[in-house]
Amino acid sequence: RRTAYNSLKMLSKFTRPTARFAAGRAYARSFSATTDIKQRVAELIPQEQARWGKIKKEYGDLALGEVTVDQAIGGARGVKCMIWDTSLLDAEEGIRFRGLSIPECQAQLPAASGKADGEAGPVELLWLLLTGETPTKAQADALTAELHSRSELPAHVEPLIRSLPKDMHPMTQFSTGVLALQTESTFAKSYADGMHRSEYWKPTLDDALNLIARLPRVAALIYRNSLKDGKIVDYDSSLDYSANFNRMLGYDDPDFDELMRMYLLIHADHEGGNVSAHATHLVGSALSDAYLSFSAGMNGLAGPLHGLANQEVLNWILDLQAKFQAEGKEVNHDTIREFAWETLNGGQVIPGYGHAVLRKTDPRYMAQREFALKYMPDDPLFKIVGTIFEVVPDVLTEHGKTKNPWPNVDSHSGVLLQKYGFKEQSFYTVLFGVSRALGVVSQLVWDRALMLPIERPKSLNAEWIEDFAKKAGR
């Protein structure tokens, strides 16, 4: 974990951090000794309110860019119109959580297992996302204990999940389970009782912590009930968040615990414009509580263009493996290059390569590659993935129809899960969802703290655009 930069240095095509993120990197600090997450957020809110108030007052009329017709038609790509403090995505560098890159998070956040070479996990990242500060081990341990204390499900949730059809897609069940938790919403009760808008963040933080604490049990119940024998072990508060999640899923391998810690960390947030994050923010801007908002985000994550990509990648790799085995082919640069061209010439895309924003290798891919090099260097599927990484970017560059020929996060994760016997692909997006909660509900807390308004962009029709163009002399 502490040597995550090594492979990045060896890969000359992966850019190093640039100076323009120096201020963002400095923002991640650990100044407070308090181990109470609610107290620390309360201490930070006044200065962040003042900061954003100053930004609005001094720069409120500053144009952030132009919007073209292509952008309006094309999914608002590149339109700068959202506030999202928990992470920022750069086309060249990838994601930064509160100013820290993935390798910096792995190096600076405390290891969840307590071992010097262990992976940081979701709880350590959660403190960073909520506060902008790297937690001490004591702060991470206190937040882990806080989540354990909030983990018990309402009595009706498990019977509801067990009553759902076993062939219902796990993501449909997951969204349903999240909505079932909503009966315990602190924000919904407080809002109904009447409270000042400056206090909205407090019950929202309660909801956020409760939701994050309960998601592993909800997800594990769905997995065990629909895809296994229905039996599930008791919640174990002596373990960290990820290890306890694994035990409830039915896995007891320390190496898989490390994988789950890394997986939940790297998938946690990817700024605010992606479907799951934007949907959570949009619904939350109407003062819907964290459960309603997050469920909306998960319905977006369930879409094939968002959260199902890792399954498509894995199937492509498994098809490749089966074809090579049937034809007696070895996995090497020549055979992978041939298969890649067959895919492209057949009018298909190579899944797991390219990204809507990134223009370099996804740091989340590199984190997974580092893990595989450490824990499973001789795995046959990893050999395929590694060879694809060495060959496909050049093929795509020669093909000339992609702006980014580099691998993204989805091109690796399925292979890692397969290694540890986690083969139920329909459930992979649920794991993604458990992770994504960390980022989107942390931002929801800050939406409330900053008292951001309801989102209401302006929409246009064809007639308006045509008239506008004529008036502009086009």
Side-chain angles (χ1 to χ4, degrees):
R1 180 168 76 98
R2 305 300 175 184
T3 60
Y5 281 122
N6 291 347
S7 67
L8 302 186
K9 291 178 180 178
M10 293 190 305
L11 292 165
S12 60
K13 294 178 181 178
F14 189 93
T15 58
R16 298 180 66 186
T18 58
R20 69 178 179 276
F21 276 104
R25 191 177 298 118
Y27 181 62
R29 73 283 189 203
S30 185
F31 287 161
S32 175
T34 182
T35 59
D36 186 327
I37 188 65
K38 296 176 73 174
Q39 178 182 333
R40 187 56 188 144
V41 171
E43 292 169 350
L44 291 168
I45 284 175
Q47 68 189 52
E48 288 304 301
Q49 288 175 335
R51 179 187 186 191
W52 279 104
K54 181 179 180 182
I55 289 172
K56 188 176 188 327
K57 180 179 179 180
E58 295 186 3
Y59 312 126
D61 60 350
L62 179 65
L64 296 175
E66 296 180 342
V67 179
T68 66
V69 173
D70 275 345
Q71 288 175 304
I73 295 173
R77 295 286 176 92
V79 177
K80 302 176 181 67
C81 61
M82 284 186 69
I83 300 303
W84 199 267
D85 264 346
T86 50
S87 64
L88 184 68
L89 179 60
D90 180 79
E92 300 296 322
E93 297 185 340
I95 197 65
R96 284 182 175 271
F97 299 131
R98 292 289 193 170
L100 295 182
S101 68
I102 295 288
E104 287 169 342
C105 284
Q106 292 178 305
Q108 295 182 31
L109 296 177
S113 65
K115 299 178 180 178
D117 62 345
E119 293 283 345
V123 176
E124 292 75 19
L125 182 67
L126 178 60
W127 185 285
L128 174 65
L129 293 174
L130 282 170
T131 69
E133 301 170 347
T134 53
T136 63
K137 187 67 168 66
Q139 289 169 331
D141 288 346
L143 184 51
T144 296
E146 175 83 12
L147 293 175
H148 283 327
S149 72
R150 295 169 174 267
S151 63
E152 185 175 357
L153 301 184
H156 62 276
V157 173
E158 181 170 344
L160 172 64
I161 291 173
R162 292 191 180 278
S163 73
L164 297 173
K166 294 185 184 299
D167 60 353
M168 178 183 283
H169 194 281
M171 280 301 290
T172 309
Q173 296 188 53
F174 189 54
S175 179
T176 302
V178 170
L179 288 176
L181 295 173
Q182 194 270 344
T183 56
E184 305 298 307
S185 172
T186 305
F187 178 83
K189 291 181 176 64
S190 298
Y191 186 83
D193 291 339
M195 64 184 308
H196 194 276
R197 62 195 296 259
S198 64
E199 299 290 299
Y200 286 171
W201 71 269
K202 293 179 179 179
T204 300
L205 179 55
D206 271 327
D207 280 355
L209 295 174
N210 286 337
L211 175 62
I212 290 169
R214 294 166 187 176
L215 285 179
R217 187 71 179 180
V218 169
L221 279 167
I222 294 167
Y223 181 72
R224 299 301 305 178
N225 188 57
S226 291
L227 301 170
K228 296 296 183 180
D229 60 6
K231 299 177 182 177
I232 184 171
V233 301
D234 291 337
Y235 190 100
D236 189 348
S237 60
S238 70
L239 301 173
D240 68 89
Y241 188 94
S242 303
N244 175 58
F245 186 24
N246 277 347
R247 300 304 174 273
M248 293 189 293
L249 290 168
Y251 296 88
D252 192 14
D253 185 331
D255 290 350
F256 190 49
D257 292 347
E258 288 289 76
L259 173 59
M260 187 62 73
R261 291 167 187 136
M262 185 265 291
Y263 183 98
L264 295 178
L265 185 149
I266 66 174
H267 288 83
D269 205 25
H270 218 230
E271 73 174 26
N274 66 78
V275 172
S276 56
H278 191 190
T280 302
H281 169 79
L282 173 64
V283 174
S285 76
L287 294 186
S288 299
D289 60 57
Y291 304 95
L292 298 173
S293 303
F294 180 67
S295 179
M298 292 303 94
N299 293 336
L301 187 67
L305 295 182
H306 189 16
L308 301 187
N310 64 348
Q311 297 173 44
E312 295 176 359
V313 174
L314 180 60
N315 287 331
W316 188 77
I317 292 172
L318 292 174
D319 288 345
L320 182 157
Q321 184 184 50
K323 178 179 171 65
F324 281 21
Q325 289 175 347
E327 298 176 358
K329 290 184 178 180
E330 294 183 4
V331 175
N332 57 46
H333 285 193
D334 291 335
T335 55
I336 293 295
R337 184 178 295 106
E338 179 184 1
F339 188 80
W341 276 112
E342 286 179 6
T343 300
L344 294 171
N345 291 334
Q348 303 175 43
V349 300
I350 296 178
Y353 279 72
H355 191 274
V357 178
L358 284 170
R359 294 295 176 263
K360 294 291 183 180
T361 301
D362 192 333
R364 300 172 299 172
Y365 172 92
M366 293 306 303
Q368 293 176 98
R369 178 174 170 81
E370 280 288 325
F371 182 93
L373 287 169
K374 179 178 180 179
Y375 289 99
M376 45 185 279
D378 299 320
D379 181 76
L381 287 179
F382 174 54
K383 181 180 179 181
I384 293 175
V385 169
T387 309
I388 291 171
F389 176 50
E390 294 165 357
V391 170
V392 163
D394 288 338
V395 171
L396 290 174
T397 299
E398 184 180 346
H399 189 242
K401 294 185 178 181
T402 178
K403 294 180 179 179
N404 173 22
W406 304 106
N408 59 48
V409 65
D410 299 309
S411 62
H412 214 313
S413 57
V415 166
L416 298 181
L417 294 170
Q418 290 270 314
K419 166 66 177 177
Y420 294 99
F422 203 118
K423 299 181 183 294
E424 294 82 9
Q425 296 181 36
S426 64
F427 195 79
Y428 288 179
T429 314
V430 177
L431 296 180
F432 193 162
V434 172
S435 171
R436 186 49 56 95
L438 301 169
V440 298
V441 300
S442 291
Q443 181 59 46
L444 187 63
V445 172
W446 281 100
D447 290 348
R448 297 284 193 266
L450 298 174
M451 294 177 279
L452 298 183
I454 189 170
E455 183 175 311
R456 179 54 168 93
K458 177 74 175 98
S459 61
L460 308 172
N461 59 20
E463 182 180 10
W464 190 98
I465 293 174
E466 290 166 347
D467 289 344
F468 182 81
K470 289 177 182 178
K471 292 175 182 177
R474 298 291 294 271

